[in-house]
Amino acid sequence: MSGPWPAATQLAVSTLQVGGVLVGGPLLLGLTRKVKARLEGRTGPPVRQPWRDLRKLAGRERTRPEQASWIFPLAPLVLVATALVVAAGAPLVAVNPAFGTSADLFAVVYLLLLGSVALALAGLDTGTAFGGMGASRALTIGAVAEPALLVAVLALSIPARSSNLPAIVSSSLAHPIWLASPQRLLALGAFLIVVLAENGRLPVDNPGTHLELTMIHEAMVLEYAGPDLALVTLGESARLVVLLGLLANLFAPWGIATRPGAATLAVGAVTVVAKVGALGVGLAVFEVFMAKLRLFRVPELLSGAFVLAVLAVVVALVVP
Amino acid sequence: MSPDLLAATGLLGLAGSAGGAVVGLRFRIPVVAGTTVAACACGLVTAGGVLSGGGPVTLEVGGIMPLSGFSLSLDPLGALFTAVTAVIGICAVIFSLGYHGPGLAGRPASTALPLFVTSMLLVPAASSVTTFLVLWELMALSSLILVLSDQRRRAEVQRAGEWYAAMTQAGAAAILLALVLLAGHAGGQSFAALAGHGPGMASWVRNGAFLLALVGFGSKAGMVPLHVWLPRAHPEAPGPVSALMSAAMVNLGIYGIIRVGDGLLGGGPEWWWLTVMGLGAISALFGALHSTTSTDLKRLLAYSTTDNMGLVLLGVGASGIFADTGHRALALIALVAALLHVVFHAVFKGSLFLAAASLEQGGGSRRLDDLGGLLRRMPVTGTVFLVGSLAISALPPLCGFVSEWLLLQAMLHGLPTGDVAVAVAMPLGVAVLALTGGLTAATFVKAVGIGLLGQPRSRGAVDASEVPAAMWAPSGVLALGCLALGVAPVTLVPAVLRAARVVTPAGVGDPLRHGWRLGLAGSRGVLDPVLLGLGLVAAVAVAAGARRLVQRGPVRRTAAWGCGREAQTSRMEYTATSFAEPLVRVFDDVVRPNRHLDVSHTSESRYYVESIEYHSSLDDDAFERRGYLPALAALRRWGDLARRAQNGSVHRYLAFGLVALLVVLVVVG
């Protein structure tokens, strides 16, 4: 952190981040699909295919199941909104976007939980077995993932003595040696597993399948069509980008803009895109070699993540 | 401030109770409700004055009780609890005007209700041991009468009443012993004398008094393993009474622990507070797990009270540890977080219990599997329940999030203090907070999703209609409170800070930032609830606008996908049990449900199944099964033995006398 940030620059950074997350989300999905297809020996659809799908969905009719209440149309909006609010305040391109002083890591966790809760309620609102099944499974995984995530957050917050996101990122920029410390690596492991679980990626959920019974997320949103489905997809992909972006900048903050200026901001934007893209490719490669876990083995994976996070905290306290 | 209003509170309560006993059925309810609301209003004004810095209000009345007199003194800590009780009391009593549930109009209940509310208002003001014990016992007995309102019609009520009576009297006995022990060593029975001598007493007196108080007050707060009465008594009480018990009465257990531990004894060694934190953590997890698996709406809410009081105890314990290790600012912050959670819990649990009573009245059942589709049929009550559920799940921008955030901050900033116990306790505290957070979210998605959304699951739910305004308005006010306090905790924080300063070590500057943003002084991060709320609303509006832009034509109502089947009936829906099944399986070792599987085969061949019956129930929890029931059985065996010894034969009694004489002679000789 050096030099004061003009408010206009901060607002511009936030706008850039929100726009980037919105546009980049579906592209990231396209990228992972493309990489997976190539590794499996297929050509695969082009990277911009998800955007084409979204355009097609936006032109369709809106539907609502007979039994559903106003929760059903509201949930996709809440999902997108939570991802965008996080995107506006999180240090993705620059250390200090607008609202940076209020960008709190605990608040991020609970905001994302709000999005999941909205979607689960919408699943139950449809009054079908699939919706209930998806909601129940998603929340079971969420309930087990949350302790791992929060304790990992705690481990990250200890060196900075704050759970403020810009504070964490700038303190690790100031002390790069912390990044290689064992507690960081342990917390990284926990964080990675939780990101996979929260976004319904393999080995927790299979984003490629469309069979109702085997899925979690897809079962929950089965009744959405047209623009609502487009919003759900957009919201989910925005969540993935935000979480991967946070992961990248919490554990490898190099390149992020620490002072205002067109050049540094451009560097920050390019590096964060590159980092998220690299993580997306890594995710795709990982998924090619991974099979989906049985649902009741998932909590074991997540409790593994929890143990990693607790170890991270313990190490952080022993090795200051 | 003059003590007149405090006296008026007590007198109005007594007048209301007398009115409930004397006035005929036609005017009974208005008289009782009017006086009780007036008593609450007097209490609220007094407490408000104290909390806004008006100085303590003291009232001494000699001669009411023999030997001691009646002494009240409301300081900011007590005033916070009185204010909470007053708000919940007003809402619950107005709610009872529209409530058709069991027995509240009856003479016993009408006599007990004003006494119950007034004694809860005055317990935090009691400033001598006898006054405290009298008010405490009055509260226990009047609430017991209210719990038993419906006992003629349902056997469960009677059993709940037995558990409640036994536990509350055992708790009161423990409190009595603790306070008498202190009073005996202080040489006086006023709280001022106790507080003056408390820190200097012998350590066995201090330890004994604290542990006894922890047992007595902890059982009132629903602390595990003394919680067993709570999931029985709270659901079986009439709707408004459950709200009063769960949102106001349990708080007084917390008040007692803070008052005795931090106030009268002036803080204590680390192990006291580690015990409190440990019990809090167990209560939080245990309550959260059991509310996840409950299918009865009110039982679910009752277990979640145990959960939330556990979180409060985590904060109280953390505060005690910080105070003992010399981190005064952190001690203050942790206690502020705990007290904020007490207030917020009262607001959201009050709205939830009142809304649950409305749902029961409107939908005809309180079993989640008999409800469903109620958000469309009871829009106001449904929305109130939804808001309360989001608040209790600690989701921004509602109030539960603020107190949990502050508690997390206190634990985070306490970590690098270099103390081993802290280093172990705080991460575990965070983990407990997080796990209960996840479980609570699952629980209340279940309660809302199964109870309010989807298709109606029974005739009663199909025919449900909205309750009268006297019922939805009070719960609606509390739900609005969840939103207002979540966005603007600034309105409450100064008062809570003043309350917490009463019992934490003095000489601390302002540990919290003032204004709309909440944060720790000296730390960079803040929580800006207004910004968070505005940001969410703006983002939702933008997304809705975008959807509106691309939308062509109206939204079409369609049949949900049923794998090709035409009709989707409510029997195909997920039930509350099936929703919680994955979590029960994950936490099977802790929850240990009773399972029975009966498979009967056709007479022709063992390979063909005729019917399968599967029962899974969680009616009694592990503590009850492992601890209480064996203890009760042993007690009964001893009772039987004792009865066998007394068969009325003169010879046997003479023999007893002889044996006793011999024993005495041997011992003396």
Side-chain angles (χ1 to χ4, degrees):
Chain A
M1 276 284 300
S2 51
W5 284 72
T9 317
Q10 287 186 314
L11 264 182
V13 169
S14 284
T15 321
L16 181 70
Q17 289 187 170
V18 171
V21 164
L22 268 183
V23 175
L27 292 180
L28 183 71
L29 286 189
L31 180 70
T32 55
R33 284 182 200 159
K34 185 79 181 172
V35 171
K36 273 167 93 170
R38 293 309 292 265
L39 285 175
E40 288 162 355
R42 296 181 283 122
T43 314
V47 173
R48 64 176 189 284
Q49 184 62 36
W51 265 115
R52 289 178 174 165
D53 295 342
L54 287 181
R55 206 182 61 203
K56 180 183 72 185
L57 285 172
R60 295 244 175 108
E61 182 187 26
R62 284 185 65 198
T63 62
R64 198 206 275 199
E66 277 153 6
Q67 301 294 339
S69 63
W70 50 267
I71 301 277
F72 185 78
L74 183 66
L77 304 179
V78 174
L79 180 73
V80 173
T82 51
L84 293 190
V85 169
V86 174
L92 298 177
V93 172
V95 169
N96 212 9
F99 326 122
T101 41
S102 344
D104 184 87
L105 204 40
F106 292 120
V108 167
V109 173
Y110 280 96
L111 270 175
L112 295 179
L113 182 66
L114 176 64
S116 319
V117 163
L119 214 55
L121 283 177
L124 284 164
D125 200 15
T126 59
T128 64
F130 293 128
M133 202 179 293
S136 157
R137 291 174 179 178
L139 283 176
T140 303
I141 291 171
V144 194
E146 198 171 317
L149 184 56
L150 272 191
V151 178
V153 165
L154 184 72
L156 293 178
S157 311
I158 291 171
R161 306 201 61 172
S162 169
S163 58
N164 181 253
L165 275 167
I168 296 174
V169 172
S170 39
S171 83
S172 45
L173 274 174
H175 309 270
I177 190 70
W178 286 357
L179 296 167
S181 61
Q183 72 257 36
R184 281 287 160 141
L185 300 178
L186 288 166
L188 174 67
F191 218 91
L192 267 175
I193 296 177
V194 173
V195 168
L196 294 180
E198 291 276 329
N199 286 292
R201 309 298 301 196
L202 280 174
V204 173
D205 190 12
N206 188 348
T209 172
H210 281 283
L211 183 67
E212 303 94 322
L213 284 171
T214 57
M215 306 167 309
I216 301 171
H217 178 252
E218 291 288 322
M220 200 159 56
V221 301
L222 190 67
E223 291 301 323
Y224 280 113
D228 294 297
L229 183 58
L231 278 176
V232 170
T233 314
L234 205 57
E236 287 291 327
S237 63
R239 259 171 101 106
L240 182 61
V241 172
V242 166
L243 274 176
L244 288 183
L246 269 181
L247 182 78
N249 279 347
L250 283 174
F251 295 94
W254 300 288
I256 190 168
T258 50
R259 56 177 63 87
T264 49
L265 285 181
V267 171
V270 170
T271 44
V272 80
V273 168
K275 282 185 231 172
V276 172
L279 281 173
V281 171
L283 192 64
V285 174
F286 175 74
E287 287 193 336
V288 167
F289 293 104
M290 215 44 210
K292 185 170 170 272
L293 276 180
R294 273 180 61 212
L295 182 64
F296 292 106
R297 304 297 297 272
V298 172
E300 291 170 20
L301 178 73
L302 289 170
S303 41
F306 176 68
V307 171
L308 286 181
V310 170
L311 278 178
V313 172
V314 171
V315 173
L317 291 173
V318 176
V319 189
Chain B
M1 195 181 228
S2 87
D4 297 346
L5 279 173
L6 205 57
T9 310
L11 293 177
L12 278 166
L14 287 176
S17 176
V22 176
V23 177
L25 186 60
R26 215 168 125 213
F27 298 107
R28 191 185 294 153
I29 291 178
V31 166
V32 167
T35 47
T36 314
V37 168
C40 288
C42 291
L44 187 59
V45 172
T46 316
V50 174
L51 281 175
S52 55
V57 176
T58 311
L59 176 70
E60 293 276 351
V61 188
I64 287 189
M65 286 192 299
L67 299 177
S68 60
F70 201 72
S71 53
L72 298 173
S73 173
L74 199 61
D75 64 1
L77 178 69
L80 187 71
F81 286 84
T82 300
V84 168
T85 307
V87 171
I88 300 298
I90 292 173
C91 290
V93 170
I94 293 176
F95 180 90
S96 70
L97 293 177
Y99 183 68
H100 300 315
L104 265 187
R107 221 176 270 277
S110 305
T111 313
L113 184 65
L115 278 186
F116 178 45
V117 175
T118 313
S119 54
M120 283 198 296
L121 287 170
L122 294 182
V123 161
S127 65
S128 74
V129 171
T130 39
T131 314
F132 186 88
L133 288 173
V134 166
L135 287 168
W136 187 268
E137 197 58 26
L138 198 61
M139 173 179 90
L141 288 178
S142 51
S143 59
L144 179 60
I145 295 173
L146 287 168
V147 167
L148 286 171
S149 309
D150 198 21
Q151 59 128 349
R152 293 225 180 114
R153 286 198 295 142
R154 287 180 302 138
E156 309 95 271
V157 178
Q158 206 168 349
R159 275 187 61 71
E162 282 164 9
W163 277 94
Y164 180 42
M167 291 304 292
T168 197
Q169 289 310 314
I175 295 168
L176 174 85
L177 282 177
L179 291 180
V180 165
L181 190 62
L182 285 178
H185 283 82
Q189 62 128 346
S190 75
F191 277 7
L194 263 57
H197 290 87
M201 284 180 199
S203 66
W204 72 266
V205 177
R206 287 165 50 80
N207 294 343
F210 180 75
L211 289 180
L212 282 167
L214 186 62
V215 167
F217 291 118
S219 85
K220 192 53 95 185
M223 181 180 79
V224 170
L226 304 166
H227 66 288
V228 281
W229 62 276
L230 198 146
R232 293 168 182 275
H234 286 210
E236 298 305 341
V241 177
S242 345
L244 279 170
M245 290 174 81
S246 233
M249 192 177 74
V250 290
N251 299 344
L252 298 180
I254 302 293
Y255 167 77
I257 293 172
I258 297 176
R259 176 63 83 192
V260 172
D262 287 323
L264 302 183
L265 295 170
E270 206 168 28
W271 67 264
W272 286 11
W273 304 110
L274 281 175
T275 313
V276 171
M277 267 191 101
L279 289 172
I282 296 172
S283 306
L285 282 180
F286 190 81
L289 263 178
H290 272 270
S291 63
T292 310
T293 55
S294 298
T295 56
D296 177 315
L297 192 51
K298 285 175 82 177
R299 196 176 165 88
L300 177 153
L301 292 175
Y303 268 121
S304 109
T305 300
T306 289
D307 161 13
N308 278 286
M309 288 302 117
L311 295 183
V312 172
L313 286 178
L314 268 183
V316 172
S319 162
I321 292 177
F322 291 140
D324 182 54
T325 49
H327 301 91
R328 296 170 171 190
L330 283 173
L332 190 53
I333 291 166
L335 195 62
V336 166
L339 290 176
L340 268 181
H341 199 69
V342 167
V343 178
F344 293 158
H345 171 256
V347 175
F348 54 63
K349 193 51 73 62
S351 79
L352 283 170
F353 254 116
L354 293 182
S358 301
L359 292 176
E360 188 183 356
Q361 184 163 319
S365 172
R366 57 173 215 240
R367 290 189 54 227
L368 283 173
D369 293 340
D370 290 340
L371 300 173
L374 291 180
L375 186 58
R376 292 174 71 188
R377 291 170 176 78
M378 302 171 69
V380 182
T381 305
T383 310
V384 166
F385 194 87
L386 177 69
V387 170
S389 300
L390 295 179
I392 200 171
S393 308
L395 295 175
L398 296 161
C399 61
F401 173 63
V402 175
S403 48
E404 291 205 4
W405 184 84
L406 202 56
L407 194 52
L408 282 169
Q409 291 299 321
M411 291 185 181
L412 165 64
H413 287 268
L415 269 176
T417 51
D419 186 90
V420 178
V422 174
V424 176
M426 297 305 153
L428 286 180
V430 171
V432 166
L433 201 64
L435 188 55
T436 53
L439 289 173
T440 309
T443 304
F444 282 88
V445 164
K446 177 186 77 173
V448 172
I450 307 286
L452 300 177
L453 306 179
Q455 310 179 41
R457 293 174 167 79
S458 71
R459 201 65 250 159
V462 173
D463 300 332
S465 57
E466 186 57 87
V467 291
M471 290 173 75
W472 60 252
S475 56
V477 166
L478 290 176
L480 283 179
C482 293
L483 191 61
L485 292 175
V487 174
V490 60
T491 50
L492 199 62
V493 169
V496 175
L497 202 54
R498 202 164 278 138
R501 278 186 191 280
V502 174
V503 287
T504 43
V508 182
D510 210 344
L512 289 169
R513 291 173 192 230
H514 276 296
W516 291 90
R517 293 162 150 205
L518 192 62
L520 272 55
S523 167
R524 260 190 66 198
V526 292
L527 179 70
D528 196 338
V530 183
L531 186 67
L532 213 57
L534 284 182
L536 274 177
V537 171
V540 166
V542 168
R547 187 173 64 182
R548 185 85 216 146
L549 267 178
V550 301
Q551 184 178 338
R552 292 165 203 173
V555 181
R556 184 161 58 95
R557 287 270 182 183
T558 56
W561 171 240
C563 294
R565 275 183 66 109
E566 287 282 314
Q568 291 265 343
T569 69
S570 62
R571 293 201 52 187
M572 299 173 191
E573 277 181 289
Y574 245 44
T575 61
T577 315
S578 47
F579 187 90
E581 203 270 348
L583 276 168
V584 173
R585 218 193 258 214
V586 172
F587 294 101
D588 199 50
D589 292 338
V590 188
V591 179
R592 294 189 177 273
N594 285 322
R595 292 205 182 91
H596 296 288
L597 181 64
D598 289 327
V599 183
S600 56
H601 305 276
T602 56
S603 48
E604 286 82 22
S605 163
R606 294 256 322 143
Y607 294 105
Y608 295 102
V609 173
E610 190 167 37
S611 67
I612 297 178
E613 268 185 55
Y614 176 70
H615 293 281
S616 166
S617 74
L618 280 158
D619 288 341
D620 48 353
D621 55 50
F623 283 101
E624 219 174 298
R625 232 177 297 151
R626 299 273 171 77
Y628 283 85
L629 294 184
L632 286 178
L635 212 61
R636 191 165 297 144
R637 265 201 304 281
W638 278 101
D640 288 344
L641 278 181
R643 196 185 298 155
R644 211 174 294 160
Q646 313 238 356
N647 63 351
S649 140
V650 179
H651 303 103
R652 189 173 289 193
Y653 290 123
L654 284 175
F656 284 156
L658 180 65
V659 172
L661 185 65
L662 285 175
V663 169
V664 168
L665 284 176
V666 167
V667 169
V668 172

